[in-house]
Amino acid sequence: DAKTTQPNSMESNEEEPVHLPCNHSTISGTDYIHWYRQLPSQGPEYVIHGLTSNVNNRMASLAIAEDRKSSTLILHRATLRDAAVYYCILRDLNTGNQFYFGTGTSLTVIP
Amino acid sequence: DAMVIQNPRYQVTQFGKPVTLSCSQTLNHNVMYWYQQKSSQAPKLLFHYYDKDFNNEADTPDNFQSRRPNTSFCFLDIRSPGLGDAAMYLCATSLAGTDTQYFGPGTRLTVL
């Protein structure tokens, strides 16, 4: 399974943008890039996913490098409720429905 | 609201005493997953069901079993819990061929 590498922790000031990086240098052509986050004492929740093109939704934006070896999750204005562990996950639809979580980035939002 | 429900939220068992955790879903998804998440670690996939087909991860200990009697319910059985099995157990569902997994709130298992 392709692996992802993320910083263990990051801090952001409230109401400022946050850029969470993820490296996936061994990504294959059929791997989708998924981001989930896990708030304290809750199960993970879907944030965003993409294949090649940048993606936007109401929660965040996903910027994917042209070579797809890295991606960045962008929270446009961090709030205290965004404090969570953010996981970058590669998923190959050809090999099944499984997710294999990386270590994730713990985001602290400073008021 | 459609959701993934896990009961109980907290479970205490004794060393070696079998325990069953349950998961139900109202999403009518055909894939259900069980993950183990130890303290300060990422979730680790134990196994999943694609409809009735059981798919075990290669490194999941034999101590962990699962049952899926119907689409809505899935159970995780730990036959002889050890201290190292204390963790949060997460259930998730998805619709095959789609990209999103929906997680329940988890059951935190304590082994005494």
Side-chain angles (χ1 to χ4, degrees), chain B residues 12-13 19-22 25-26 39 70 93 104:
Chain B
V12 180
T13 190
V19 66
T20 295
L21 309 181
S22 71
Q25 52 127 341
T26 61
S39 181
N70 53 53
T93 74

Short mmCIF file of all heavy atoms in Angstrom, two decimals, chain B residues 12-13 19-22 25-26 39 70 93 104:
data_model
loop_
_atom_site.label_atom_id
_atom_site.label_comp_id
_atom_site.label_asym_id
_atom_site.label_seq_id
_atom_site.Cartn_x
_atom_site.Cartn_y
_atom_site.Cartn_z
N VAL B 12 -16.11 -2.24 29.60
CA VAL B 12 -15.05 -2.74 30.47
C VAL B 12 -15.17 -4.25 30.53
O VAL B 12 -16.27 -4.78 30.72
CB VAL B 12 -15.15 -2.15 31.88
CG1 VAL B 12 -14.03 -2.69 32.76
CG2 VAL B 12 -15.09 -0.62 31.84
N THR B 13 -14.07 -4.94 30.34
CA THR B 13 -14.08 -6.39 30.44
C THR B 13 -12.87 -6.83 31.23
O THR B 13 -11.94 -6.05 31.47
CB THR B 13 -14.10 -7.05 29.05
OG1 THR B 13 -14.35 -8.45 29.20
CG2 THR B 13 -12.76 -6.87 28.33
N VAL B 19 -15.72 -10.65 24.83
CA VAL B 19 -16.51 -9.43 24.75
C VAL B 19 -16.95 -9.22 23.32
O VAL B 19 -16.24 -9.59 22.38
CB VAL B 19 -15.70 -8.22 25.28
CG1 VAL B 19 -14.51 -7.91 24.38
CG2 VAL B 19 -16.58 -6.99 25.44
N THR B 20 -18.14 -8.67 23.16
CA THR B 20 -18.69 -8.36 21.83
C THR B 20 -19.05 -6.90 21.75
O THR B 20 -19.73 -6.36 22.63
CB THR B 20 -19.94 -9.21 21.55
OG1 THR B 20 -19.56 -10.59 21.48
CG2 THR B 20 -20.58 -8.81 20.22
N LEU B 21 -18.59 -6.26 20.69
CA LEU B 21 -18.94 -4.88 20.40
C LEU B 21 -19.87 -4.88 19.19
O LEU B 21 -19.71 -5.69 18.28
CB LEU B 21 -17.69 -4.05 20.11
CG LEU B 21 -16.55 -4.16 21.13
CD1 LEU B 21 -15.39 -3.26 20.73
CD2 LEU B 21 -17.04 -3.83 22.53
N SER B 22 -20.82 -3.95 19.20
CA SER B 22 -21.80 -3.96 18.12
C SER B 22 -21.80 -2.65 17.34
O SER B 22 -21.43 -1.60 17.85
CB SER B 22 -23.20 -4.23 18.66
OG SER B 22 -23.66 -3.11 19.38
N GLN B 25 -26.09 0.35 11.30
CA GLN B 25 -26.11 1.49 10.38
C GLN B 25 -27.47 1.60 9.70
O GLN B 25 -28.13 0.59 9.43
CB GLN B 25 -25.00 1.33 9.33
CG GLN B 25 -25.02 -0.01 8.62
CD GLN B 25 -25.04 0.09 7.12
OE1 GLN B 25 -25.39 1.12 6.55
NE2 GLN B 25 -24.69 -1.01 6.45
N THR B 26 -27.86 2.83 9.47
CA THR B 26 -29.12 3.09 8.77
C THR B 26 -28.88 3.64 7.37
O THR B 26 -29.79 4.16 6.75
CB THR B 26 -29.96 4.10 9.58
OG1 THR B 26 -29.22 5.33 9.70
CG2 THR B 26 -30.29 3.56 10.96
N SER B 39 -4.24 4.39 21.82
CA SER B 39 -4.02 5.76 22.27
C SER B 39 -2.93 6.44 21.45
O SER B 39 -1.84 5.90 21.29
CB SER B 39 -3.65 5.75 23.75
OG SER B 39 -3.47 7.07 24.21
N ASN B 70 -26.77 -9.36 9.05
CA ASN B 70 -27.57 -8.71 8.01
C ASN B 70 -26.88 -7.41 7.60
O ASN B 70 -25.83 -7.06 8.13
CB ASN B 70 -29.01 -8.46 8.49
CG ASN B 70 -29.05 -7.69 9.79
OD1 ASN B 70 -28.44 -6.63 9.91
ND2 ASN B 70 -29.76 -8.23 10.78
N THR B 93 -18.77 2.46 7.57
CA THR B 93 -19.50 1.89 6.45
C THR B 93 -19.19 2.68 5.18
O THR B 93 -18.75 3.83 5.24
CB THR B 93 -21.02 1.93 6.68
OG1 THR B 93 -21.50 3.28 6.52
CG2 THR B 93 -21.41 1.44 8.05
N GLY B 104 -18.63 5.51 12.92
CA GLY B 104 -19.35 5.66 14.15
C GLY B 104 -18.49 6.36 15.19
O GLY B 104 -17.31 6.64 14.94
#
